[in-house]
Amino acid sequence: MSLHIFYDNKFKTSAISLNFIQKLDKSSATVNALLPLVIKRASSHYPTTISLQKKLKELYGAELNAGIIKRGDYQIINFRFDFISESYAKNIDIFKEISKILEDVVFNQSSFNNEYFNQEKENLKLYIASLKNDKRSYAIRRLQEIMFAEQPYAICEEGFEDDVDKITIRDLTASYKKMLSSPLEIFVTGNVDQSDAEGILLPENYFGFSESFESINNKAESAEVTEYEQISQSKLSMGFLTSIESTSPKSSALSLYNGIFGGGAYSKLFNNVREKLSLAYYAGSRVDRFKGAIFVNAGIDKANKDLAVREILNQHQDIIDGKFSESDVEAAKLSRIMMLNSIQDSQIAIEDYYLKQILSGRGTSENIATAIELTNKVQSSDIIDAAKTIEYKSQYFLTNGE
Amino acid sequence: MQFTTTHNSDLNETIFEGTHESGLKVIVMPKEFHKSYAIIGTKYGSINDNINDKKLPDGIAHFLEHKLFEQPDGTNAFDSFSKTGANSNAFTSFTNTCYLFSSTSDFDENLKILLEFVFHPHFTNENVAKEQGIIGQEIKMYEDDPNWQVFFNMLGLMYQNQPLSTDIAGTIESISHITPEVLNECYSHFYSPNNMVLAIVGNVTLDEIENCIPKLENKNTKISNIFLDSTIDLIKEKSVKLPVSSPLFLLGFRDKPEGDTQKKEAISELALELLFGQSTEFYQKAYEQGLINDSFSTESAIENNFAYVAIGGESPNPKKFKEEVSKFLSSKIDFNDADIKSAKNYLVGNHLKQFNSVERIGHALVNNAMRNTILFDYFATCEKITKNDVISYINSVITPDNMVLSIVEPI
């Protein structure tokens, strides 16, 4: 079943999120990124952007967002409708109106407007170039490209600037057909009527994601790269690799390792790199479960690079050596549990959580209560075992000067 | 404590408001979410640059915000929150400083921790010295942030040499003059309960909240109002270079802070939507010409001591875009009733969305309390606005002569 309905009348809005799932590939990445940009411009019933936007505005400012989501090696073409729910929309059958627009825009495009196509090609090029603007996230992106070079994961989910110009309308049409025959996972959340949700007209041949989950290949490069830009604060990112897969029973221990290491204000990175040594305003880590990777990032002074790297590696070693307390474990558990309990308070968080579950082969059967139970069961020794599987691999440093 | 109850049946929400014996205002919105959220704010921000005309170092309100987390026993408030799993944070804006947490359990304990650390300052030479490095990094981080730079530069064009254009964190030089003594002075003056608001959103009862508030002195301090001159000459344009891929810009229109702030807020939001919204001819034409893209947005900031609206985003040619805006604003501007109705629907939908989030509601409650406006009234206020209100506003504020342009361009 790939239509997932999460009814909750505490939300004032309803949301429909459509996710077409494909593997990241150099030959298709760019045209896939272009597709949602052109699709959301117009449709058969709304042949101009202004007519579609006017209609959405009338529906109490309903939003249509379209773009790409990257999860592991997957490039997901996402369309999301976000609108106020029935009870607040006076005299409008809003769910029905949105469903009609959805069917038209997403499933029944007949021909793409040539001018819109050309405009969105320019926009895509600008967007890819702009990924360098936020230096903090750019430093993580570069680390990922270096650490997983030659693997699908290193492919930018928005494609390549140099590949945009050669895309033709024919290419786009072909990729649209391919999108429609890709696995599709739909989430409907909020104050929704079950029968309304099930009434969305989906194409006959659609099907959900059921690829068997590929195990982590445990392959990553060991490399250290420094690049230069005219910036005030240098950005350091470091990548670690683990063999623990997201379906492994050790996965919860890995999450708690990350909590203790760099998960928040209670973590070793925050308390040592920032508070004790005053080296940084932000210093933290996060796990990408699909790749078994842990990414650390910190904003520091150029002169303190070696000190920061040493301190980060020391903190990791400390966990392997068991140099953390029961209260550190407790803090990491409570923080993770709080995060898990909070998921139900946000429609986007619900969609994201269950999409990740589906992509890692767990379906939507492992619910949040189970995740909490597993978290509580983790012991210090499990965390040490998890830490021992983690190896430092690569580093990226963005700094000033030459 | 006595609480008054206001129920809004359109929204299906209730607010309880009361004043603690110390003067602290307490506002509560019950919400059956998993998270509960508490935020306490004081009317002290970066624009409060003096105490009775004695000048304070730039960035001190923000520095104080960092340091208040230190506790007398040498631990940090984050340490206390880590024992209950709450997520805590703080921020300093132009007009207020706020401390907050969200949690899915142990609400009472967390609220006590929050109020304990906010009402027990502990500034020492050692902990002040340590923060210089951390905030120094924060300042550098913002120096690299093109959105932050384009925004502050715009404020500088509208409010040159006024406290509003000073960076909230100050500079590395200005914060080097901060001592525990001056921090204590600021704390004593500005952190007076009568100057503060506590807002709580979540699965809570009024009794439990009252039981968590410690004994507080009613200092009844009078904070002098900061006057910002909204009549000084505008500087028309400023451009700086940063390592960005293409230019970004903000086009600002300065307003005078007079009249009903909530009404002005609704009118300005309506005006921006009618002029520059995604469904307008102007937007679509500029978009098709490649002058703007999806990054384009509009903003309205209406407070008791300053007011402005701004539009901006990425553009390959901000000056050309400004010319187009100028031409557009010089032409005859009119809207039909259907446009107005549609724009109002849009605003209603937008404002309704904030009620999905305990954090957004909490912030909105504090901001409204600081500004002496009522959150629930927004919808009724919006409903009453006429076409004339909007056109008048556009003719007096959103005019070609009143434009300032801030640009960040590639190196």
Side-chain angles (χ1 to χ4, degrees), chain A residues 10-13 37 40-41 49-50 53-54 57-58 60-61 63 82 84 88 90 116 119-120 123 126 129-130 132-133 135-136 229-233 235 265-266 270-271 274-276 278-282 299-301 330-331 334-335 337-338 341-342 344-345 347, chain B residues 10-13 31-35 66 70 76 78-79 82-87 102-104 130-131 133-134 137-138 140-141 143-144 146 243-246 248 273 278-281 284 287-288 292-294 314 342-343 345-346 348-350 352-353 355-356 411:
Chain A
K10 74 179 184 229
F11 296 115
K12 302 258 188 286
T13 53
L37 303 181
K40 88 167 221 204
R41 290 292 298 267
T49 307
I50 204 170
Q53 289 301 318
K54 277 198 161 125
K57 185 154 111 173
E58 268 164 39
Y60 289 87
E63 270 179 67
D82 190 348
I84 68 172
Y88 299 101
K90 300 187 178 129
Y116 294 168
Q119 286 158 14
E120 292 309 325
N123 283 334
L126 287 172
S130 78
K132 292 182 80 165
N133 289 353
K135 304 301 174 192
R136 179 176 176 174
E229 289 241 40
Q230 233 161 286
I231 48 179
S232 290
Q233 182 190 61
K235 317 293 186 209
Y266 55 87
F270 186 91
N271 284 307
R274 172 176 150 148
E275 292 295 303
K276 237 191 221 134
S278 297
L279 293 180
Y281 169 68
Y282 69 86
I300 57 173
D301 267 346
E330 206 39 40
L334 288 171
S335 173
I337 289 167
M338 195 218 140
N341 274 324
S342 305
Q344 306 278 32
D345 281 355
Q347 289 156 292
Chain B
D10 286 336
L11 283 173
N12 197 22
E13 302 285 6
K31 255 320 214 180
E32 274 179 40
F33 273 51
H34 290 81
K35 268 190 289 190
H66 271 237
E70 305 286 356
N76 190 289
F78 288 124
D79 298 327
S82 75
K83 296 190 170 64
T84 55
N87 208 339
S102 60
S103 65
T104 53
K130 173 183 67 103
E131 209 66 32
I134 295 171
Q137 283 309 315
E138 190 179 354
K140 287 187 176 177
M141 184 183 83
E143 276 170 16
D144 291 335
V244 290
S245 60
S246 75
L248 37 134
E273 181 55 29
Q278 277 189 288
S279 64
T280 62
E281 302 273 352
Q284 287 300 324
Y287 185 97
E288 286 178 6
I292 54 174
N293 60 32
D294 269 344
E314 290 159 11
S342 190
N345 276 6
Y346 171 82
V348 165
N350 234 8
L352 207 56
K353 286 177 186 170
F355 291 94
N356 278 348
I411 293 179

Side-chain angles (χ1 to χ4, degrees), chain B residues 308-379:
Chain B
Y308 65 83
V309 299
I311 65 179
E314 290 159 11
S315 173
N317 196 341
K319 290 187 193 189
K320 175 117 205 311
F321 180 75
K322 178 188 167 193
E323 263 167 50
E324 294 300 319
V325 172
S326 205
K327 266 191 262 172
F328 173 47
L329 294 175
S330 304
S331 67
K332 174 97 172 68
I333 306 235
D334 197 12
F335 311 108
N336 61 41
D337 289 339
D339 290 333
I340 306 258
K341 175 98 184 40
S342 190
K344 282 187 182 182
N345 276 6
Y346 171 82
L347 287 192
V348 165
N350 234 8
H351 272 252
L352 207 56
K353 286 177 186 170
Q354 74 190 315
F355 291 94
N356 278 348
S357 155
V358 295
E359 290 91 348
R360 288 187 68 187
I361 299 168
H363 283 207
L365 289 173
V366 167
N367 285 338
N368 276 280
M370 295 284 184
R371 214 176 55 168
N372 291 320
T373 52
I374 297 165
L375 180 62
F376 279 173
D377 288 351
Y378 181 86
F379 299 95

Side-chain angles (χ1 to χ4, degrees), chain A residues 247-260:
Chain A
T247 47
S248 156
K250 299 188 184 137
S251 182
S252 297
L254 179 65
S255 298
L256 292 179
Y257 160 87
N258 184 65
I260 294 173

Side-chain angles (χ1 to χ4, degrees), chain A residues 41-61:
Chain A
R41 290 292 298 267
S43 68
S44 325
H45 281 110
Y46 301 98
T48 62
T49 307
I50 204 170
S51 63
L52 178 57
Q53 289 301 318
K54 277 198 161 125
K55 178 64 181 175
L56 290 170
K57 185 154 111 173
E58 268 164 39
L59 298 176
Y60 289 87

Side-chain angles (χ1 to χ4, degrees), chain A residues 1-7 15-19 21 95 183-190 192-194 197-198 200 202 206-210 347 350-359 362-365:
Chain A
M1 189 63 230
S2 77
L3 171 64
H4 314 280
I5 303 167
F6 298 89
Y7 168 80
I16 305 172
S17 167
L18 301 113
N19 301 273
I21 301 161
F95 198 96
L184 169 62
E185 295 291 334
I186 307 175
F187 302 93
V188 184
T189 60
V192 290
D193 190 271
Q194 176 104 0
E198 284 167 354
I200 300 172
L202 299 164
Y206 107 101
F207 56 98
F209 180 84
S210 63
Q347 289 156 292
I350 292 168
E351 293 159 19
D352 185 55
Y353 180 78
Y354 286 107
L355 182 61
K356 281 195 195 138
Q357 295 288 84
I358 290 164
L359 291 173
R362 278 186 293 217
T364 55
S365 56

